[in-house]
Amino acid sequence: VLSSEDRQLIQATWTKLGPHMDKIGGEALTRLFCTFPQTKTYFPHFDLSPNSKDVQHHGQKVVKALDSAIKHLDNIRGTLADLSDLHAYNLRVDPVNFKLLAKCFHVVLASHLGGEFNASVYLAYDKLFHCVADVLSEKYR
Ligand code: HEM
């Protein structure tokens, strides 16, 4: 559960990422496909070369979803309800992959936030990614 301190840390650092917002999703996906190549099987119709147009464009969609979750931390479930159905029923993404993507986002956040990405900020985002992954994978149960 996100504490009020976690929420503040997320919202403050997320605002600072503003100028990089368009590219962090693509960077995270590029890391995902490079580090965990098995994740590529979900995107047979994409050009998955590093930072390709497909990867960047899809990254922007993912970040937009994270942005709305961050703007509605009290109602992540409601905010991501459609995506939950999509990932479970249509895409059938194995929930383990959400953990892999979260790892990649942590590295990207650290690369942009530098020293500001301290242990407390890491913990706050870790909890956030857990919440998001829970919502996106709960329809499997
Ligand atoms: C599509 C968000 C994790 C596979 C999408 C879309 C969004 C999204 C916003 C576009 C939906 C639309 O076009 O209406 C997220 C978020 C994630 C996440 C917020 C976790 C933080 C994953 C993971 C995988 C995955 C881990 C698999 C490794 C896909 C696929 C599509 C998709 C295959 C469809 C791509 C297409 O054909 O356009 N996701 N996703 N997602 N996602 Fe995710």
Side-chain angles (χ1 to χ4, degrees):
V1 180
L2 290 158
S3 68
S4 59
E5 196 201 346
D6 293 329
R7 288 159 192 249
Q8 278 167 18
L9 289 173
I10 290 171
Q11 277 158 348
T13 49
W14 191 249
T15 307
K16 292 219 173 127
L17 290 169
H20 307 294
M21 220 45 117
D22 278 354
K23 58 180 192 197
I24 58 176
E27 290 174 4
L29 289 174
T30 293
R31 285 182 179 276
L32 181 74
F33 298 136
C34 177
T35 316
F36 307 105
Q38 68 274 26
T39 56
K40 294 200 269 191
T41 53
Y42 293 100
F43 301 88
H45 50 309
F46 274 30
D47 167 11
L48 293 182
S49 44
N51 298 309
S52 70
K53 282 270 169 296
D54 285 346
V55 169
Q56 288 185 43
H57 188 226
H58 188 64
Q60 287 167 356
K61 290 191 195 174
V62 173
V63 165
K64 212 172 146 205
L66 288 177
D67 183 61
S68 46
I70 288 171
K71 289 190 169 121
H72 303 95
L73 290 175
D74 289 323
N75 184 23
I76 295 180
R77 176 158 287 110
T79 307
L80 300 182
D82 291 350
L83 282 181
S84 179
D85 286 341
L86 180 76
H87 286 78
Y89 300 135
N90 298 43
L91 302 170
R92 296 164 191 269
V93 171
D94 187 316
V96 76
N97 292 294
F98 295 114
K99 293 190 172 60
L100 305 181
L101 180 59
K103 279 176 199 275
C104 296
F105 263 108
H106 280 303
V107 177
V108 171
L109 291 172
S111 78
H112 289 291
L113 292 169
E116 208 176 328
F117 192 77
N118 59 27
S120 307
V121 174
Y122 173 89
L123 178 65
Y125 277 99
D126 205 37
K127 290 188 191 176
L128 172 71
F129 288 123
H130 257 277
C131 294
V132 170
D134 265 357
V135 170
L136 293 193
S137 53
E138 73 184 356
K139 298 281 163 67
Y140 295 82
R141 278 176 231 139

